[in-house]
Amino acid sequence: MNRYLLMLTAFFMSVKLVAQIPKSEHAALLDLYHATDGPNWFITWDTSLPPAQWHGVSIVNNHVTGLNLSRNNLTGSLPESMGNLSNLFFLELYFNKLEGALPQSLYRLQNLRRLVLNANHFDGKIPSYIYDLTNLEVLLLASNHFTGTVSNNILKLRKLRVFNVFDNCLSGSFPAALLRLKELQELNIAANNFTGSLPGDLAEASYLKSLILFDNNFQNQSEFQKLLNERPQKSHAIIMASY
């Protein structure tokens, strides 16, 4: 019996050790909880328990590697200490009530593969550091209040597969640098204030499986639609565009 108890104690101690994370990461999670009205989340955290038991928190090798609090009634603004979660591979906060500008400290999230912030109330320009998160594969900023243009620095995001800024207040010409991202499969810039002409090369981008452009102010919409109609359809490249 004593041997059994010793084994059981050792097991729980090992679990406890695995669940440990650095104090800076633990503090960042608590800052997020308090800054976004954690007690009134739909699924809240019992902060007396280890973070490994908190809803939406993924921990690997004693670091927070994922955070998904989507559809969870988060309100307020993201705290600057979010940058301390530098081991995040994904940050998904879609369909909440978050507002304000994105914290400058997010530039430290160099491991991010997925940044999913759609359907909130974020505003201001898309931060320049976003284009330095070169491991990003999915960038979803749809249905917010972002303004300004999409920088040509988006060319730095060589691994990007999905770029969606639908339903914002973005302006300027079509971000031509997107055409040089050969991993890109889904592109949605609909419902913004983009102007100018759509490049003919866009209609020939066979790597794109989904292209959504409607509700902008492009000058050559009918000509571009003709190019799309003349393009041989392929099962792996179904282009969708409406005006």
Side-chain angles (χ1 to χ4, degrees):
M1 180 63 70
N2 289 337
R3 182 179 179 185
Y4 172 78
L5 288 176
L6 286 172
M7 292 175 62
L8 192 62
T9 301
F11 170 77
F12 282 113
M13 286 182 65
S14 67
V15 171
K16 183 177 180 181
L17 288 173
V18 169
Q20 289 180 345
I21 60 175
K23 290 182 179 180
S24 60
E25 295 184 21
H26 188 273
L29 292 176
L30 288 177
D31 286 348
L32 175 65
Y33 176 82
H34 293 297
T36 59
D37 196 19
N40 287 309
W41 292 354
F42 293 143
I43 304 177
T44 191
W45 290 343
D46 182 346
T47 55
S48 66
L49 297 175
Q53 299 182 39
W54 297 356
H55 168 72
V57 178
S58 297
I59 296 176
V60 177
N61 294 330
N62 300 332
H63 287 286
V64 180
T65 57
L67 191 57
N68 188 342
L69 295 171
S70 303
R71 301 180 184 272
N72 204 33
N73 200 40
L74 276 67
T75 61
S77 301
L78 297 179
E80 280 293 331
S81 56
M82 288 290 291
N84 291 335
L85 301 174
S86 57
N87 290 278
L88 285 180
F89 282 87
F90 62 88
L91 176 59
E92 303 192 14
L93 302 172
Y94 60 87
F95 282 91
N96 281 296
K97 302 172 185 176
L98 296 167
E99 60 186 12
L102 297 180
Q104 286 299 311
S105 64
L106 294 189
Y107 80 90
R108 297 175 57 192
L109 307 187
Q110 293 294 317
N111 292 306
L112 269 188
R113 269 60 169 176
R114 295 175 56 88
L115 180 58
V116 184
L117 303 176
N118 46 303
N120 280 285
H121 305 293
F122 292 115
D123 57 28
K125 296 181 179 181
I126 297 176
S128 59
Y129 64 74
I130 290 290
Y131 308 114
D132 293 322
L133 303 179
T134 54
N135 284 307
L136 274 180
E137 298 175 5
V138 176
L139 179 56
L140 299 183
L141 304 177
S143 296
N144 282 286
H145 307 295
F146 289 110
T147 58
T149 61
V150 176
S151 170
N152 286 333
N153 286 330
I154 198 169
L155 184 60
K156 297 179 181 180
L157 304 183
R158 297 287 185 178
K159 300 178 182 179
L160 199 63
R161 295 184 292 105
V162 179
F163 179 67
N164 189 334
V165 291
F166 166 78
D167 186 27
N168 277 283
C169 304
L170 297 170
S171 58
S173 58
F174 176 84
L178 289 166
L179 293 174
R180 298 170 64 184
L181 299 178
K182 301 307 181 183
E183 298 297 319
L184 194 63
Q185 298 178 20
E186 299 179 24
L187 172 58
N188 189 340
I189 62 171
N192 280 284
N193 299 312
F194 291 107
T195 58
S197 297
L198 290 164
D201 291 350
L202 179 59
E204 301 301 320
S206 60
Y207 48 86
L208 284 174
K209 296 180 180 179
S210 176
L211 173 62
I212 314 294
L213 303 170
F214 67 85
D215 198 11
N216 279 291
N217 299 301
F218 295 117
Q219 298 171 356
N220 60 334
Q221 296 174 0
S222 58
E223 294 89 344
F224 184 78
Q225 186 66 63
K226 183 178 180 181
L227 287 175
L228 284 179
N229 294 338
E230 293 175 349
R231 182 179 179 276
Q233 294 298 307
K234 300 179 180 180
S235 59
H236 67 279
I238 301 173
I239 305 295
M240 296 181 292
S242 60
Y243 304 97

